[in-house]
Amino acid sequence: MADTCFHDLQRYVELPRLAGLALSPDGSRLVTTAAALNRERTAWTPALWEIDPTGAEPARRLTRGAKGESAPAFTPDGDLLFVSARPDPDGDPDAPEAAALWRLPLRGEATVAGTRPGGVSSPIVAREAGTVLLTSMTLPGAVTAEDDTARRTARKERKVAAVLHDGYPVRFWDHDLGPDEPRLVAGPVDPTAGPWQDLTPAPRRALVDSAADLSPDGRTAVAVWAIDLPHGATRATLVAIDTATAEHRTLLDDPAFDAGTPRISPDGRTVAAIRSRRSTPQSAPRFDIVLLPLTGGEAAVPTGGEAAVPTGGEAAVLAGDWDRWPADLVWTPDSAALVVVADEGGRSPLFRITPEGTVTRLTGDHGAYTNPVVSPDGSTVYALRSAVDHPPAPVRLDAHTADQQPTLLPGPADAPLLPGTLTEVTATAEDGSPLRAWLVLPDTSGPGPTVGSASSPSAPTVGSASSPSAPTVGSASSTSAPLLLWVHGGPLGSWNAWQWRWNPWLMAARGYAVLLPDPALSTGYGQDFVQRGWGAWGGPPYTDLLALTDAAEALPEIDATRTAAMGGSFGGYMANWIAGHTDRFRAIVTHASLWALDQFGPTTDFADYWLTEMTAEMAEANSPHRHADAITTPMLVIHGDKDYRVPIGEALRLWWDLQYRVADPADNPHRFLYFPDENHWVLTPQHSALWYETVQAFLAHHVLGEEWETPDLLR
């Protein structure tokens, strides 16, 4: 097998990581963010890169700040805005570092356009007026920026870190909430024009960070606003905020739904949003797109269309019979359609949806698309495209053509060579439902193909495994490979995009085949497919995984006698459930996993949501800890102490339950990889590499029969 970056973990962590897209008002400039290792190789630092929308010129790096730059956005006159904590050469050298909004003209140096004591993030620019909307963390008692500075200084000097809460939640994913909270501020991109207007002076946890949009004239912001409910619960609504007066009015508030992802149409008349039906232990959530007028008048939709929005602020469902869950959306410049991202069958295509409800799938490949932007003339869509076999890369598509192949644009980096090939496996569930999975097969003869080449000015269209029917199995290797079953997290998700944290090609480089199944609860297969596993995690999701594993093991490329199972988050839950219900796997790796559901529910960062997922009786019936006595498979437990979604108590209780059942400590087959300063994902470069190194050592010992070898940095 030829050498690739996946054969060396240090080379792997050096790969640039793209995120986000911004298109200039005239459509001539496309900017993305690419993160690369810093000089110490301890963190990824983002920088801005310009991409030629025509594909004729190579990508060009725009910024090189040591602190990094992110969140690009363009002003109406074409200047590039971004957020960075880099020092201001014209500012107070003794001022505390805070992320500022910077302005970079087409010619000349970047200058600070404004900041606040708690920094700023997520700039949104009014496409006509040039007003900017930002999120800024602010102490709750602060009235002005100067007041916020004084309060922060007092806490720092007195070494006060305490937070007084009067509601829920108090933590989110990997960080404590408070004492500061997000506020929306708005104003001109001009540091001489005075302070930005505070649009949410007393949010009290109500403002959902970064979920907002700004009208073209800059007069109205639409934000997601959380309402406190009895018993510690909240509900997400939409509010419109006057950027001059900070007056709020409710746009969408329905007790049966949560609202999010507001997008104001370019003509300023209509708001599109993603609405989700609030789940119960008996009924899964459902996501759809709604349209509602921004003002009291009628929204800009064709007369007589099925989704015509009535006056009075009522919401109309768009394409209500479309059995997919929208994840992101953007308007076309003429306000005549939406370009929407949604999972579908192990892919995440782009769709075009008209206000009448006509749905056209624009992409015909196996890619997963994010960050769509539409050219000013409405003819072209740009997006970042990834796939299981390709990292995120910029692409160009026609805005009207169905089932097309995207054109790859020259980006900041070429796609890496792959040490194998990608195919699909299908099976039938116990209830007759069709099942499918991706299967990564190792290649012992040489690296697999890349998907296009970003280095060529005339890059080819995306190819390998690009059709909905992926390549057939049969040519990856002359010898059978050990199999790794990887269960995705969520559980409402799908294996359809490139993964930096769970990258199957790192395992293919070591000779493993990797099965990436979408069992019950996975998205992209319709509402019924989610519902069949809802509240029954140990039922159809488990039997679906075994059915797909059976199908993979029946292939001649697979050695069915050497298999292991792995998963993180919900996938870790399933790894734990598998451990207590079968001994068919030689080893199990469980990362950030749920173990005792009676303990998990009240301690996760969003316990109120857990109450809408399972009753106490359902949690007891589906809890892996009840089956600890049946576990005979060696387990590698991995957890970060800063994980608030799945608190560390889950791993500590699992580890004790495993150790309590070890009769001879000299023969203890289990290991616990603990990260005191990592969160749900394990994000720092060297910890990420160590994660893979430990997993590979554990699997080599139990699956391949090699001697156990502790990674050097853990000795």
Side-chain angles (χ1 to χ4, degrees):
M1 180 186 295
D3 181 58
T4 73
C5 66
F6 300 98
H7 291 83
D8 184 332
L9 289 172
Q10 292 305 314
R11 289 171 59 194
Y12 170 72
V13 298
E14 291 175 355
L15 292 174
R17 304 181 176 200
L18 271 62
L21 277 182
L23 185 65
S24 64
D26 64 0
S28 65
R29 303 179 66 197
L30 191 62
V31 174
T32 189
T33 301
L37 279 185
N38 62 7
R39 183 177 301 174
E40 295 79 19
R41 303 175 64 82
T42 57
W44 286 285
T45 302
L48 302 186
W49 286 72
E50 184 168 340
I51 298 163
D52 180 7
T54 70
E57 299 294 334
R60 179 172 64 95
R61 185 168 180 172
L62 299 176
T63 61
R64 295 183 179 273
K67 297 288 186 179
E69 299 83 20
S70 61
F74 282 96
T75 65
D77 59 4
D79 285 355
L80 179 62
L81 304 179
F82 61 87
V83 172
S84 178
R86 56 161 69 174
D88 179 3
D90 300 322
D92 181 359
D94 298 323
E97 291 184 357
L101 182 70
W102 290 73
R103 182 171 188 161
L104 177 64
L106 186 60
R107 294 177 177 82
E109 298 293 330
T111 57
V112 172
T115 189
R116 284 171 59 92
V120 296
S121 63
S122 310
I124 301 170
V125 182
R127 67 175 60 204
E128 296 172 359
T131 305
V132 65
L133 179 73
L134 302 114
T135 302
S136 178
M137 301 302 294
T138 307
L139 290 172
V143 177
T144 64
E146 292 75 17
D147 186 14
D148 192 26
T149 298
R151 292 171 183 270
R152 291 176 183 275
T153 300
R155 287 179 61 91
K156 182 178 180 179
E157 291 178 347
R158 300 178 188 181
K159 301 188 183 305
V160 172
V163 180
L164 179 64
H165 292 283
D166 63 356
Y168 192 82
V170 300
R171 306 196 296 182
F172 184 69
W173 278 116
D174 61 352
H175 61 277
D176 297 312
L177 298 180
D180 53 7
E181 55 193 4
R183 297 191 191 180
L184 286 179
V185 297
V189 186
D190 182 358
T192 66
W196 289 315
Q197 169 79 359
D198 189 339
L199 305 183
T200 53
R204 292 189 69 251
R205 305 182 317 278
L207 181 65
V208 178
D209 193 9
S210 303
D213 199 11
L214 188 61
S215 62
D217 60 12
R219 297 179 179 178
T220 306
V222 175
V224 179
W225 199 257
I227 296 176
D228 287 333
L229 301 175
H231 311 298
T234 59
R235 183 175 74 251
T237 69
L238 288 185
V239 297
I241 308 173
D242 188 299
T243 58
T245 66
E247 293 182 354
H248 294 206
R249 60 184 173 88
T250 299
L251 283 180
L252 183 60
D253 182 5
D254 189 323
F257 295 90
D258 287 309
T261 320
R263 298 288 186 265
I264 302 174
S265 60
D267 61 15
R269 297 173 58 187
T270 306
V271 177
I274 297 177
R275 187 185 68 170
S276 59
R277 184 182 66 195
R278 294 174 67 84
S279 61
T280 70
Q282 293 74 36
S283 179
R286 182 185 178 92
F287 292 76
D288 51 34
I289 302 171
V290 294
L291 302 177
L292 58 154
L294 181 58
T295 62
E298 191 170 315
V301 297
T303 303
E306 292 181 5
V309 181
T311 59
E314 297 179 31
V317 177
L318 178 65
D321 57 352
W322 185 46
D323 196 13
R324 294 293 180 265
W325 287 5
D328 196 6
L329 58 158
V330 61
W331 285 95
T332 57
D334 57 3
S335 303
L338 288 165
V339 175
V340 178
V341 177
D343 290 351
E344 183 169 79
R347 287 85 173 155
S348 192
L350 291 178
F351 299 86
R352 182 185 179 94
I353 307 179
T354 67
E356 297 91 345
T358 301
V359 179
T360 303
R361 176 170 164 163
L362 296 177
T363 55
D365 66 327
H366 73 302
Y369 291 82
T370 62
N371 307 103
V373 292
V374 186
S375 63
D377 63 2
S379 66
T380 305
V381 178
Y382 303 99
L384 291 182
R385 176 206 183 269
S386 80
V388 174
D389 59 353
H390 200 290
V395 295
R396 184 180 66 241
L397 300 132
D398 183 85
H400 299 85
T401 302
D403 296 325
Q404 63 190 289
Q405 299 296 311
T407 298
L408 193 65
L409 299 174
D414 292 340
L417 295 174
L418 301 178
T421 54
L422 180 67
T423 187
E424 289 184 278
V425 172
T426 60
T428 302
E430 288 185 352
D431 62 5
S433 299
L435 305 173
R436 62 157 303 283
W438 291 111
L439 179 62
V440 168
L441 291 169
D443 189 347
T444 57
S445 61
T450 59
V451 184
S453 172
S455 62
S456 170
S458 56
T461 56
V462 181
S464 175
S466 60
S467 67
S469 56
T472 57
V473 179
S475 60
S477 173
S478 59
T479 59
S480 57
L483 179 68
L484 303 181
L485 165 65
W486 283 14
V487 189
H488 68 64
L492 304 176
S494 169
W495 285 119
N496 56 27
W498 182 264
Q499 298 287 327
W500 292 109
R501 277 295 308 117
W502 286 76
N503 193 296
W505 302 104
L506 287 168
M507 307 311 295
R510 284 148 185 84
Y512 295 95
V514 183
L515 182 67
L516 306 171
D518 280 351
L521 292 173
S522 298
T523 52
Y525 303 90
Q527 190 71 24
D528 290 344
F529 197 80
V530 174
Q531 186 63 49
R532 58 190 289 269
W534 189 254
W537 287 9
Y542 170 66
T543 56
D544 288 358
L545 291 171
L546 295 191
L548 284 162
T549 302
D550 289 341
E553 288 182 344
L555 299 172
E557 290 84 359
I558 303 302
D559 181 353
T561 68
R562 297 186 297 165
T563 63
M566 299 173 56
S569 194
F570 169 77
Y573 162 90
M574 287 308 312
N576 294 339
W577 186 265
I578 289 169
H581 287 79
T582 180
D583 61 359
R584 68 184 290 175
F585 298 99
R586 288 195 175 189
I588 290 177
V589 179
T590 180
H591 169 89
S593 66
L594 290 71
W595 173 242
L597 297 189
D598 61 336
Q599 171 181 276
F600 165 79
T603 59
T604 182
D605 58 350
F606 269 93
D608 58 316
Y609 178 80
W610 180 250
L611 295 177
T612 73
E613 186 134 6
M614 288 190 187
T615 64
E617 295 75 17
M618 296 163 73
E620 176 67 14
N622 288 277
S623 187
H625 85 283
R626 296 173 58 248
H627 307 277
D629 285 337
I631 296 178
T632 59
T633 306
M635 296 187 71
L636 171 60
V637 180
I638 309 176
H639 220 104
D641 208 332
K642 301 301 183 183
D643 185 351
Y644 298 156
R645 181 56 47 95
V646 183
I648 186 63
E650 296 299 298
L652 296 177
R653 187 168 173 181
L654 166 58
W655 185 242
W656 169 245
D657 282 343
L658 292 174
Q659 294 307 295
Y660 181 75
R661 290 162 175 82
V662 174
D664 184 354
D667 293 329
N668 180 14
H670 311 299
R671 297 292 185 271
F672 182 11
L673 179 60
Y674 167 65
F675 292 98
D677 55 354
E678 287 287 357
N679 52 35
H680 195 65
W681 304 283
V682 184
L683 294 177
T684 58
Q686 297 311 317
H687 278 166
S688 176
L690 188 61
W691 187 98
Y692 280 111
E693 190 176 357
T694 307
V695 168
Q696 290 164 359
F698 188 78
L699 295 176
H701 179 53
H702 292 288
V703 177
L704 305 183
E706 299 177 6
E707 289 294 323
W708 167 256
E709 185 174 345
T710 302
D712 284 341
L713 289 176
L714 297 176
R715 291 182 186 272

